[in-house]
Amino acid sequence: MSDVEKTGFLTKVIGPKKRWKAYKARIKELPESHRTAVEAIERYLMHFVPTDADSNASMFEDLADLFEQAAVDGAPIREIVGEDPVEFVEAFAKNYSEGGYVPARARKQLTDDIERAAGNETGTEDKTV
């Protein structure tokens, strides 16, 4: 294996992991409500099939960019995702994936998680179990 082949191979194996770790570190720095919303969206996005590893990494980096900027601007969760988080995430994912199957329970979980995150911002957290 030549040096060029080794570098390309290592980039393919290590590159996405480095980008994923960098993304997770960025998310950790967000305010709690924004971090909760991003983690909920992240779980939902796992149901989509990425077009390739690079676009998958770009999708999560763009998600982090969006929520970081929103946190800096003081934008509440509902201003970012709107009233229908499922619609927001599916429109967002279309730019990076070939689609996917999302079970109904995942849609409900995303909606509930965003509601909880948005409630945390206003102090009206949902206390139902």
Side-chain angles (χ1 to χ4, degrees), residues 49-53 55-56 95-98:
V49 179
T51 53
D52 57 55
S55 68
N56 195 35
N95 298 316
Y96 308 94
S97 74
E98 297 175 346

Side-chain angles (χ1 to χ4, degrees), residues 10 29 36 45 48-50 52-53 56 63 65 70 77 84 92 94 101 104 108 113 119 125-126 129:
L10 290 175
E29 298 299 318
T36 301
L45 286 172
F48 290 87
V49 179
D52 57 55
N56 195 35
L63 182 65
D65 289 344
I77 300 298
D84 186 353
F92 181 80
K94 280 183 184 172
Y101 171 73
K108 182 175 179 350
D113 289 347
E125 183 179 357
D126 182 14
V129 179

Side-chain angles (χ1 to χ4, degrees), residues 16-88:
K17 287 182 184 176
K18 277 182 145 180
R19 290 175 77 181
W20 179 255
K21 285 182 180 178
Y23 158 77
K24 293 300 270 184
R26 291 171 64 191
I27 298 308
K28 227 178 190 178
E29 298 299 318
L30 289 171
E32 183 180 343
S33 61
H34 286 65
R35 185 177 54 248
T36 301
V38 169
E39 289 169 350
I41 293 169
E42 180 185 303
R43 275 191 301 277
Y44 194 80
L45 286 172
M46 294 297 179
H47 293 283
F48 290 87
V49 179
T51 53
D52 57 55
D54 189 50
S55 68
N56 195 35
S58 294
M59 177 174 66
F60 288 108
E61 290 166 349
D62 290 348
L63 182 65
D65 289 344
L66 177 66
F67 276 82
E68 284 173 342
Q69 188 59 50
V72 168
D73 294 343
I77 300 298
R78 288 293 179 195
E79 190 173 310
I80 304 166
V81 302
E83 290 303 314
D84 186 353
V86 171
E87 182 180 312
F88 167 79

Side-chain angles (χ1 to χ4, degrees), residues 2 5 9 21 39-40 51 63 105 109 113 120-121 128:
S2 72
E5 289 172 331
F9 174 75
K21 285 182 180 178
E39 289 169 350
T51 53
L63 182 65
R105 72 176 188 285
Q109 182 178 4
D113 289 347
N120 285 343
E121 284 182 334
T128 59

